[in-house]
Amino acid sequence: VGDSADYDSEVESICPFCGVGCQVSLKVKDGKVKYVDGINGPANEGRLCVKGRFGFDYIHHKHRVTKPLIRREDAPGKGLNVDPENWQTHFREASWDEALDFAAAGMKGRGREIAGFGSAKCTNEEAYLFQKLIRQGFGHNNVDHCTRLCHASSVAALMENVGSGAVTATFNEIENADVAIVIGANPVENHPVAATFFKQFTKRGGKLIVMDPRGQALKRFASHMLQFRPGADVSMLNAIMHTIVEEGLYDQQYIDAYTENWGAEKAHLADFSPEAMAPICGIEAEVLRDVARTFAGAKAAMIFWGMGVSQHIHGTDNSRCLISLALMTGQVGRPGSGLHPLRGQNNVQGASDAGLIPMFLPDYQPVTDDGVRAAFTSVWGSEDFSKEKGLTVTEIMDAVHDGAIKGMYVLGENPAMSDPDVEHARSALAKLDHLVVQDIFITETANYADVILPASAFAEKSGTVTNTNRQVQMGRPAVPPPGEAREDWWIEVELAKRLGLGWSYESPADVFAEMKQNMRSLENITWERLMEQNAVTYPSLSPEDPGQAIVFGEGFPRPDGRARFTPASVIAPDDVPDADYPMILTTGRQLEHWHTGSMTRRSAVLDGLEPEANCSLHPSTLRKLGVAPGEHVVLTTKRGSISIMAREDRAVAPDMVFVPFAYVEAAANVLTNPAIDPYGKIPEFKFSAVRVEKAESD
Ligand code: SF4
């Protein structure tokens, strides 16, 4: 941190990492971002975590792609073999015209043979343009992004039962709560600034109930820590709700006024007594009962959840239980109450809102609805496109293997690291006859590209992003893109022109104006207003309204204004331990690294703090294996094997291993199971059977 003498200019923007969406001030000197301060955004109130404060220098990294690149005719085969210092063996530099012509020529007129992955790292305008390009340009809905890998099952359950996929209250509302549940989330590592508000809540007497198969730092602040058996979420939550029914602790008035299907839920819960569920979830019956009484007795209570809930083949059922728990106790729509899936990436909420989803156009309007498609094609001035729901991230990779999809346009995603059973995704990428990758680095996915279009980092572009709180915020450029790199919206527009789509946007503001025509969520939110105020929460009821932090106090956007109870039954994980694979693998993030590591592993401070791929094992497990902390173990599942450094961690149960997925040299997703939740189509990243062995040489 310095003073004004240390920089030439300062620009207000948004942190590029997690869904908290902290507002930052980028301090610029000699054309480079020198340091970052937190400013008073509605979510962060001046706070930043280590990533937001120190993780910005990747934007000036020497491995940035600064010119369009086309794969050389004499390049060695596609794969993870591009040396970032010596990429010339695989690619040659090209002019923008040549690269764009080449990219478009390989896609034009190929209809269903082309699919697209957009990005939650891009702005709302860029996400909107991307889904429009695929739908208008190729006539179908095979367009998706990483929401499929994080909260798609939460959104499926919320859409089904509440009628809206976004949070019902901001996380800051916890200051008005007296009880909060945090389940399947580790906010201290993954939403660190939100975690500071959670800690403050406990300091002033709030009761925090943490539920997670792994221990975590919030445990210290919790009134209850339920370290339940992995995969036993539905059993545990149904047992808690059973107690609420049995002891008459539900809110009959609220249920009568605002919900439907209560009778079915109540009857379903009869089979889930705490005594019967205790051995399954590994939590004593009396603790389950105490949690039920604590939550139901709250004046105002919130439920927060993360990917520990969503990344299961029963992820939608997990979320259904949380929704039912909030509804039966009337904990939605009032100050200090609500449902809040903590969204992962800084713009995964916005990219989903903007229609980067195979089954929905912007604002979750179904592609299957003729009237909805007509409204969009009328604004777009184009012909109708398919009414069939498109394929999701993992289904697209399957379709590549089946030969139905032959080309892809990938903007800012890294499926060669992020997909489950990643060798399946990598072999699909290698099979494509035309892969266009738009990114800031030669990522693992770009290793397979036929053409790489050099894009912009967050500090180099204009555009809006929407955080986990539904706050639409303005990002501004502080420095120009390096070399010939360009803003993503510009690249999309140039490609669309070459695909014959006749686009004529001159700025992201033009795109935002078009989005507003078919997105009611953006009513009363204008580009000019965001430039002036930095953030507006949707829905905003008037040009003066800063937006509604809490929604659904007067009913839900569903038939008759009623939310729905959908009973959830127990579904076992897909890949259960056996004699060959006796332990449980779970994957996730760690504080210092972001997702597939493409940004944070190129940040000096963050990579300095966590430079090496690591996994966490209980001390008793290490002892049994004869492995000292710091030595390597080999992890093997039915999909593959990695060698990785072992860390001692009492937070992990003795039969579990936790692996962060940011490290290409020991990629966690070599191991993970591609089985998906049938509703959200999200893979079961949180549970695979695994064998752990001491590595032969260290
Ligand atoms: Fe960035 Fe999230 Fe950290 Fe805020 S909490 S600084 S948004 S990574």
Side-chain angles (χ1 to χ4, degrees), residues 210-290:
V210 179
M211 304 171 170
D212 200 297
R214 283 172 72 209
Q216 56 173 277
L218 273 188
K219 183 177 178 177
R220 221 157 37 90
F221 299 83
S223 62
H224 301 73
M225 175 76 206
L226 276 58
Q227 216 166 327
F228 60 97
R229 297 286 307 145
D233 321 53
V234 169
S235 309
M236 179 181 70
L237 293 168
N238 277 351
I240 290 168
M241 289 191 283
H242 172 103
T243 303
I244 291 172
V245 172
E246 189 183 48
E247 299 187 7
L249 304 175
Y250 48 90
D251 185 340
Q252 189 67 57
Q253 223 178 341
Y254 185 88
I255 292 167
D256 290 344
Y258 294 117
T259 73
E260 64 181 34
N261 212 30
W262 169 238
E265 177 75 38
K266 207 170 160 187
H268 178 77
L269 292 171
D271 293 337
F272 292 88
S273 74
E275 287 69 26
M277 294 302 110
I280 298 169
C281 60
I283 304 294
E284 286 173 19
E286 206 35 54
V287 174
L288 295 169
R289 288 187 186 281
D290 193 37

Side-chain angles (χ1 to χ4, degrees), residues 15 17-18 20-22 48-49 51-52 191-193:
C15 172
F17 296 110
C18 89
V20 171
C22 296
L48 291 181
C49 78
K51 284 193 290 289
H191 299 85
V193 164

Side-chain angles (χ1 to χ4, degrees), residues 18-20 49-51 151 181-199 208-222 225-228 233 303-311 340-344 586-595 610 614 616 647 649-652 656 658-661 686:
C18 89
V20 171
C49 78
V50 65
K51 284 193 290 289
H151 263 305
I181 288 177
V182 173
I183 174 169
N186 186 350
V188 172
E189 301 246 349
N190 297 328
H191 299 85
V193 164
T196 63
F197 289 89
F198 297 176
K199 291 176 191 170
L208 182 66
I209 301 164
V210 179
M211 304 171 170
D212 200 297
R214 283 172 72 209
Q216 56 173 277
L218 273 188
K219 183 177 178 177
R220 221 157 37 90
F221 299 83
M225 175 76 206
L226 276 58
Q227 216 166 327
F228 60 97
D233 321 53
I303 303 176
F304 299 93
W305 71 96
M307 279 158 253
V309 163
S310 59
Q311 290 177 332
H340 192 120
L342 286 156
R343 303 308 303 259
T586 187
T587 67
R589 301 193 295 255
Q590 57 187 150
L591 173 64
E592 296 80 3
H593 283 302
W594 186 248
H595 281 214
E610 278 292 4
N614 58 83
S616 301
R647 263 191 194 152
D649 186 353
R650 287 182 188 280
V652 179
M656 280 181 77
F658 170 76
V659 187
F661 63 94
K686 287 289 186 275

Side-chain angles (χ1 to χ4, degrees), residues 71-83 87 89-91 426-427 429-432 435 442 444-450:
R71 182 169 288 276
R72 295 171 66 105
E73 302 226 332
D74 59 351
K78 294 178 176 180
L80 297 186
N81 52 2
V82 179
D83 174 357
W87 51 264
T89 52
H90 291 71
F91 297 100
R426 289 173 183 173
S427 54
L429 293 169
K431 210 171 162 186
L432 293 167
L435 175 59
I442 302 178
E444 290 75 18
T445 299
N447 275 227
Y448 295 85
D450 294 285

